[in-house]
């Protein structure tokens, strides 16, 4: 269904003849950002079509930013369509490319209504939109989709953008792009993670280069561009290696330091106009369309989803206990596949304390099952143990992870009689990212109203500190991975200019929630821990300032998180601390 949101008509005078320029907004999909602005003139002979894709680091920008440019090309003979697409916070790659393809398909399907020629479609994109423009030109047989593609500072390789800004020596803009490529791909670029690495490589235009089957491209950068020309010279080399005519791919470097839209001076626009007209060679006609029909007049309201995850009823997922023996079983505490826990327990006549274990893994990986042996060890020493999973940063931003831990604790307390536990004697044990979640639960509201105490191994008590540490020159691979996964946890580059984004960053820092009545904590690191003990030292200082007990123990070596348990005496220290505080 075609949805008409806004329509205006402008009268433009060219020489002695007046003409009407139409402007209207439509939807090419059901998601709120799948909108398209059309600019066209009535014509007896169909105009070639031009799709404009805005920039904005994948997380911002709008089709409305390109109104003047759209009008320019409309006034010079094109039916122009400026499209929005889902941000990286809305959809991981290839979601934005899917939207660009869908927008191009929508234009072809409705070309007749705009007096446009469906066999002559070009695309112009800026920065992130430039990458989408080259994706249209190279994905599959690009020449069958578009006549030509113009890229202004196109980020043709998000992976290159990530590698070119590894430390704080990069500019703020380069760090911003790097961070948003992580959000776009929903993972740190780890070649050993085949699913993750496939997304990263798929987002590189050069990986899809097929020479003569791809559309001609005109790619423009400045000498001081945030997105250097090597993004485009690499793509050109890949195309030439696969047989593209050198005349079909041009890389131009302008003077100055402009990037994206600022490159579009009057002279550059005129040059692009000539190039586009020259490249209108025709593309394969689209599939047969339905007959021309009237445009709709009502916009479809965006769909809003309730983020609340209901907790299953007390009996759901429960299985019969094995009397007199230690039982390990899995239960759902919510409706998401990740909202599950493993329970290790044995029937008993006396109510006992519960220990909830929260695994680590950069908020990105690992699983509750990796803590099975530790869970059994504590279960054999009198605890009912619950090792929980939670939504990872690839599917949900902070505070979803804390919310899941809170929900799991509520579920456990709601089933206290099933597991023969005292609901007022719940303890937490978290590791690395899980340590941050555990400590966040211990300081959320009045922490002791939920748990009696928190043990955290190498807790990432400040994801923002980890971001800054991973941004330094000489940062290790683990520190950089933690930096990028902190970005993915917040779902954005840390900037005070974006209030919602900055709120997630500050909310994830545990000490920002410290208050009287919080749960006491036992925090452990090694001397060579890549999550340094300063995370816990700052948290301990804040807790003690509020008269809350906190112990920081730094052991020898360079072990991290679960590896600390291999240090002689650590298990005994933790058990003693737990038994002292679970009364």
């Amino acid at each position: 269904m075609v949805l008409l949101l806004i329509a205006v008509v402008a009268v433009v005078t060219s020489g002695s003849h007046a003409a009407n320029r139409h402007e209207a907004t439509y939807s090419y999909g059901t998601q709120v950002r799948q909108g398209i602005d059309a600019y066209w003139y009535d014509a007896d002979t169909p105009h070639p079509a031009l799709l404009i894709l805005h920039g904005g680091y994948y997380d911002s920008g709008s089709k409305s930013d390109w109104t003047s440019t759209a009008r320019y090309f409309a006034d010079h003979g094109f039916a122009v369509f400026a499209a929005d697409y889902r941000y990286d916070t809305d959809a991981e790659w290839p979601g934005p490319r899917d939207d660009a393809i869908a927008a191009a398909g929508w234009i072809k399907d409705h070309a007749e209504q705009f007096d446009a020629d469906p066999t002559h479609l070009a695309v112009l994109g800026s920065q992130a939109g430039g990458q989408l423009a080259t994706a249209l030109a190279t994905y599959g047989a690009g020449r069958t989709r578009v006549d030509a593609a113009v890229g202004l500072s196109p980020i043709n390789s998000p992976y290159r953008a990530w590698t070119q800004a590894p430390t704080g020596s990069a500019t703020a803009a380069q760090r911003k792009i790097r961070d948003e490529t992580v959000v776009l791909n929903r993972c740190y670029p780890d070649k050993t993670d085949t699913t993750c690495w496939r997304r990263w490589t798929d987002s590189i235009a050069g990986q899809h280069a097929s020479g003569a089957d791809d559309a001609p491209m005109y790619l423009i950068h400045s000498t001081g561009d945030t997105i250097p020309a090597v993004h485009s010279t690499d793509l050109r080399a890949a195309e030439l290696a696969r047989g593209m005519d050198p005349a079909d791919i041009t890389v131009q470097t302008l003077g100055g330091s402009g990037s994206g839209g600022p490159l579009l001076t009057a002279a550059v626009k005129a040059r692009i106009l000539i190039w586009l007209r020259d490249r209108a060679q025709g593309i394969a006609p689209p599939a047969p369309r339905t007959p021309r029909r009237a445009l709709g007049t009502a916009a479809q309201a965006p769909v809003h989803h309730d983020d609340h995850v209901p907790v299953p009823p007390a009996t759901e997922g429960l299985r019969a206990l094995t009397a007199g023996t230690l039982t390990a079983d899995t239960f759902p505490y919510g409706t998401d596949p990740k909202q599950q826990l493993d329970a290790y327990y044995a029937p008993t006549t006396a109510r006992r304390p519960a220990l909830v274990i929260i695994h680590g893994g950069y908020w990105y990986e690992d699983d509750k099952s990796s803590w099975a042996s530790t869970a059994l060890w504590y279960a054999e020493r009198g605890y009912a143990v619950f090792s929980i999973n939670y939504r990872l940063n690839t599917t949900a931003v902070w505070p979803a992870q804390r919310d899941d831990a809170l929900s799991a604790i509520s579920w456990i307390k709601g089933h206290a009689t099933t597991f023969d536990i005292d609901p007022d004697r719940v303890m937490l044990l978290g590791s690395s990212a899980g340590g941050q979640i555990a400590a966040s639960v211990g300081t959320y509201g009045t922490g002791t109203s939920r748990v009696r105490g928190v043990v955290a191994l190498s807790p990432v008590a400040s994801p923002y500190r980890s971001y800054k540490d991973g941004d330094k020159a000489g940062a290790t691979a683990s520190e950089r991975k933690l930096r990028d996964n902190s970005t993915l946890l917040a779902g954005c580059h840390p900037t005070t200019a974006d209030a919602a984004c900055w709120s997630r960053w500050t909310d994830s820092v545990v000490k920002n929630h410290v208050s009287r009545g919080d749960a006491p904590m036992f925090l452990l690191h090694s001397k060579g821990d890549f999550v340094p003990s300063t995370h816990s030292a700052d948290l301990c200082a804040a807790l003690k300032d509020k008269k809350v007990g906190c112990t920081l123990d730094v052991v020898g070596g360079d072990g991290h998180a679960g590896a600390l348990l291999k240090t002689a005496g650590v298990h005994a220290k933790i058990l003693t601390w737990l038994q002292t505080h679970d009364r």
Side-chain angles (χ1 to χ4, degrees), residues 204-226:
I204 301 171
Q207 291 293 315
H208 299 282
S210 55
D213 288 338
D214 290 342
M217 287 174 268
Y218 181 19
L219 312 174
I220 306 172
H221 297 260
S222 72
T223 54
D225 207 318
T226 298

Side-chain angles (χ1 to χ4, degrees), residues 137-163:
T138 59
Y139 186 65
R143 195 181 287 267
T144 66
R145 186 179 295 111
V146 294
D147 277 342
V150 176
L152 305 173
S153 309
I155 308 172
N156 291 321
S157 173
Y159 181 65
R160 178 180 289 280
W162 183 85
T163 58

Side-chain angles (χ1 to χ4, degrees), residues 546-558:
K546 297 297 182 180
K547 310 303 181 185
V548 177
C550 185
T551 299
L552 170 60
D553 191 358
V554 180
V555 301
D558 59 1

Side-chain angles (χ1 to χ4, degrees), residues 381-459:
R381 285 155 180 79
Y383 288 89
V385 184
F386 304 86
S387 182
I388 73 169
N389 274 348
Y390 49 89
R391 285 170 291 170
L392 300 175
N393 60 6
T394 53
T395 60
V397 298
W398 184 264
Q401 296 71 25
R402 181 181 62 203
D403 291 345
D404 284 359
L406 291 168
S407 294
I409 292 166
S410 295
W411 187 92
I412 292 164
K413 290 184 175 185
H415 296 77
T417 56
T418 301
F419 301 108
D420 296 321
I421 64 169
D422 183 342
D424 293 326
R425 299 171 65 195
V426 176
M427 309 293 288
L428 298 185
L429 170 62
S431 170
S432 193
Q436 181 259 356
I437 298 170
S440 293
V441 169
T443 57
Y444 188 68
T446 303
T448 48
S449 65
R450 294 177 177 82
V451 295
R452 282 287 183 89
V454 175
V455 176
L457 309 173
S458 308

Side-chain angles (χ1 to χ4, degrees), residues 525-541:
H525 293 259
S526 71
K527 290 182 179 178
D529 204 323
F530 80 84
V531 177
S533 60
T534 48
H535 280 257
S536 292
D538 283 356
L539 175 56
C540 259

Side-chain angles (χ1 to χ4, degrees), residues 377-378 383 522 569-583:
W377 192 88
Y378 284 100
Y383 288 89
F522 181 30
V570 167
H571 260 311
K573 286 182 181 180
I574 293 173
L575 182 61
T576 299
W577 192 92
L578 288 171
Q579 291 174 339
T580 300
H581 290 81
D582 66 19
R583 308 299 179 189

